[in-house]
Amino acid sequence: MADNPAQSVDVLIVGAGISGIGAAWHLQHRAPGQSYAIIEARAQIGGTWDLFRYPGIRSDSDMYTFGYNFRPWVDGKVFADGPSIRRYVTDTAREAGIDRHIRFNTRVMAASWDSSAARWSVEVEGPDGRGTLIARFLMICSGYYRYEHGYMPEFEGLADFAGEIIHPQKWPEGHEYAGKRVVIIGSGATAVTLVPAMAGTAAHVTMLQRSPSYIAARPSRDAIADALRKFLPGRLAYTLSRVKNIALSMFFFQLSRAWPDFVKRGVIKAIRAELGEDFDVERHFSPHYKPWDQRFCLAPDGDFFAALKSGKASIVTDHVERFEKDGIRLKSGELIEADLIIPATGLEMQVGGGMDIRVDGQPVLPADRITYRGMMLSGVPNAALAFGYTNASWTLKIDLTAERVCRLLNHMARKGYDYCVPVPPAGIELAPLLDFSSGYVQRALPHLPRQGRKAPWRTYQNYLQDMVTIRYGRLEDGHLQFRNAGAANAALSELARAAE
């Protein structure tokens, strides 16, 4: 690659996970005149669903909304396991011929925009060394967290533990844990998934949480969706099931925001019904935060609660004092003995896969930028970020973002524009990008872009509102400026003459 001349495409997609494959499908169908390539650092399609291999890995969003809007999910499971999702994404790419556009084992190191040429120069490193790709538009679909490693707190005495410590993000596929005493540190979706998946094989599983999370049991089958498939064509049944689930999730989110105490009481009542009156539900399942200040954890068919009731798993709410040879010493003085400790302590967020991004020679620091319609960064031309919802399925926003990018590309082609760039108004009032109290979000906020308090600079986390504005709203809205390379050169010349 290093000896080849720079190759050029209209659109360069970074990442061949669920976002990148979805973006490529939309390009092929909505902007078929645009050439594209996909750069993928891993050896195969899947992204997150290829990376994570821990026991029980599954979606925590229902597949009727997590699946693509253009390709029905027909497996039947509401919360699909990781391998099934990986197959779904891989089959989508193969059937659409997208896989022929992917360069595997290739990492984007840097991307530099040149306004005078209206092009991105993208430095990549692959099996044949380093090389450069030229692109008119850049779609960054590499997710929002660091693939190299997850978040690991600085536990005292970590080196003293005689057993194994495995972070879920680094789980060795096929790792044997039968008959072992397992302690899972954390109370998020990963921990809630691991407990029932390991309880049947391990000697005992203990979920050690510093504070509780909201956990709700949900059926693993959607009875309405199953019934619709019996009487309606597949695509229509999928669409109706999808609309129904979008409406229900939005209703529950708004209900949680408007009447948080009511929702909290309902959740705790349901858990008490699962576990019985003798279980200390208030201690272990009554969070200090309001519903949807963090994501809800879902237990398909109540499997998490079933593991607790069986006695094969238990839950402890306390703080870690230190690691010892035989396990974890708690601040209460109790020792939880362990052979295997799994710190399900979260992830580390990053923007753009950690690549070095520059615009006309100046580095782009995400914390200095403002998000435009939740998909572009202020002052960064011809580039879109695939960033999904925090209160709904990730893919809902990804589909809308890809549609908007296709609209932009077609609009620029019709009007003869070379590029577009979001330019915020002077004195714009700013807010944090995410209104979420989760630890991984709070740790990352100083390094993330910010948002405005009014459209189009505000990210509403509302699918219906986004669908109307992103899919049908005006492209030339006064905030997204459309320019030509020649005009940029003329402006630069004018500035140079004025400085003489």
Side-chain angles (χ1 to χ4, degrees):
M1 184 183 296
D3 297 327
N4 294 336
Q7 300 177 43
S8 178
V9 292
D10 292 318
V11 182
L12 185 65
I13 299 171
V14 182
I18 195 164
S19 301
I21 300 303
W25 189 94
H26 283 285
L27 276 174
Q28 289 188 173
H29 289 79
R30 299 179 185 274
Q34 304 286 332
S35 62
Y36 74 92
I38 303 176
I39 301 299
E40 171 54 51
R42 300 178 65 77
Q44 56 190 5
I45 293 169
T48 296
W49 304 104
D50 179 57
L51 173 69
F52 287 114
R53 302 297 178 99
Y54 60 79
I57 173 67
R58 58 171 171 77
S59 168
D60 64 347
S61 298
D62 76 273
M63 290 304 298
Y64 294 99
T65 58
F66 190 74
Y68 296 120
N69 64 4
F70 55 83
R71 188 171 191 269
W73 172 256
V74 296
D75 186 275
K77 296 179 183 176
V78 175
F79 305 101
D81 58 84
S84 296
I85 298 173
R86 189 165 66 248
R87 285 194 299 273
Y88 172 74
V89 178
T90 302
D91 290 347
T92 301
R94 187 188 66 253
E95 291 172 10
I98 295 169
D99 52 352
R100 297 193 295 269
H101 296 257
I102 305 173
R103 301 187 182 193
F104 292 105
N105 297 307
T106 303
R107 182 178 299 275
V108 174
M109 309 304 293
S112 180
W113 171 263
D114 181 0
S115 294
S116 64
R119 294 292 187 274
W120 284 99
S121 294
V122 182
E123 184 180 351
V124 299
E125 185 172 28
D128 299 325
R130 291 207 174 199
T132 300
L133 295 173
I134 306 298
R136 291 178 55 245
F137 201 99
L138 189 63
M139 287 198 70
I140 303 174
C141 300
S142 50
Y144 63 90
Y145 62 88
R146 191 182 305 276
Y147 268 53
E148 290 79 13
H149 55 81
Y151 175 70
M152 182 70 173
E154 294 182 2
F155 293 115
E156 185 179 348
L158 200 65
D160 297 336
F161 180 57
E164 295 180 290
I165 301 174
I166 305 176
H167 195 284
Q169 194 165 321
K170 291 293 185 180
W171 186 269
E173 190 171 12
H175 184 76
E176 184 57 59
Y177 55 88
K180 293 184 178 181
R181 298 165 298 177
V182 179
V183 176
I184 301 167
I185 303 175
S187 60
T190 302
V192 172
T193 298
L194 282 165
V195 168
M198 302 182 75
T201 304
H204 187 79
V205 178
T206 302
M207 187 175 96
L208 171 59
Q209 60 179 11
R210 186 172 55 184
S211 59
S213 297
Y214 288 101
I215 305 174
R218 287 277 303 275
S220 62
R221 304 283 305 193
D222 187 324
I224 295 177
D226 288 346
L228 289 174
R229 281 202 303 273
K230 291 179 180 178
F231 301 105
L232 297 175
R235 183 168 293 278
L236 178 58
Y238 176 70
T239 299
L240 292 176
S241 302
R242 184 178 172 91
V243 169
K244 182 259 299 181
N245 286 3
I246 290 172
L248 285 175
S249 66
M250 291 183 63
F251 169 78
F252 186 70
F253 177 76
Q254 296 301 329
L255 184 69
S256 299
R257 290 301 199 192
W259 292 286
D261 292 337
F262 171 77
V263 171
K264 182 174 183 176
R265 286 195 301 270
V267 171
I268 292 176
K269 181 180 179 181
I271 294 174
R272 188 171 284 114
E274 290 274 356
L275 296 176
E277 293 294 333
D278 294 336
F279 201 96
D280 194 349
V281 172
E282 289 292 333
R283 174 175 175 78
H284 299 304
F285 294 100
S286 181
H288 302 301
Y289 59 89
K290 296 178 181 179
W292 273 114
D293 281 353
Q294 299 181 22
R295 282 187 71 94
F296 257 79
C297 298
L298 301 178
D301 293 329
D303 59 357
F304 176 80
F305 304 114
L308 295 179
K309 286 189 292 185
S310 72
K312 297 179 179 179
S314 57
I315 184 169
V316 175
T317 303
D318 205 334
H319 287 68
V320 174
E321 178 70 28
R322 61 172 291 115
F323 280 46
E324 296 184 0
K325 179 182 178 181
D326 297 324
I328 298 176
R329 181 72 63 180
L330 305 179
K331 288 193 180 294
S332 63
E334 179 187 356
L335 175 68
I336 304 179
E337 295 184 342
D339 305 302
L340 169 63
I341 296 175
I342 304 174
T345 45
L347 47 85
E348 290 190 2
M349 296 184 72
Q350 65 178 5
V351 177
M355 72 177 77
D356 177 24
I357 302 176
R358 295 176 181 267
V359 172
D360 294 326
Q362 299 301 310
V364 173
L365 301 178
D368 296 337
R369 306 289 168 162
I370 310 167
T371 55
Y372 169 82
R373 299 198 183 279
M375 56 174 280
M376 299 180 79
L377 297 181
S378 59
V380 182
N382 275 19
L385 284 169
F387 202 93
Y389 290 119
T390 57
N391 64 349
S393 291
W394 174 270
T395 326
L396 290 174
K397 181 62 179 292
I398 300 305
D399 276 330
L400 292 177
T401 296
E403 288 184 34
R404 182 82 176 191
V405 168
C406 292
R407 287 187 65 202
L408 284 173
L409 292 170
N410 293 334
H411 181 76
M412 288 191 289
R414 286 194 305 269
K415 297 289 187 177
Y417 296 125
D418 289 320
Y419 65 96
C420 59
V421 56
V423 180
I428 183 173
E429 189 177 356
L430 300 177
L433 177 62
L434 298 173
D435 181 21
F436 241 37
S437 63
S438 301
Y440 71 93
V441 172
Q442 293 300 310
R443 290 192 300 269
L445 279 179
H447 311 289
L448 296 178
R450 289 171 291 175
Q451 64 172 332
R453 295 194 180 274
K454 295 181 181 179
W457 302 97
R458 183 180 173 188
T459 303
Y460 286 98
Q461 299 291 339
N462 184 304
Y463 176 73
L464 291 182
Q465 191 168 0
D466 281 344
M467 182 179 68
V468 173
T469 56
I470 290 179
R471 187 176 287 176
Y472 305 110
R474 291 177 58 235
L475 295 174
E476 299 199 37
D477 57 7
H479 299 271
L480 187 64
Q481 298 185 8
F482 291 84
R483 301 172 180 173
N484 288 303
N489 287 329
L492 291 172
S493 300
E494 186 67 26
L495 287 173
R497 285 195 297 270
E500 291 178 353

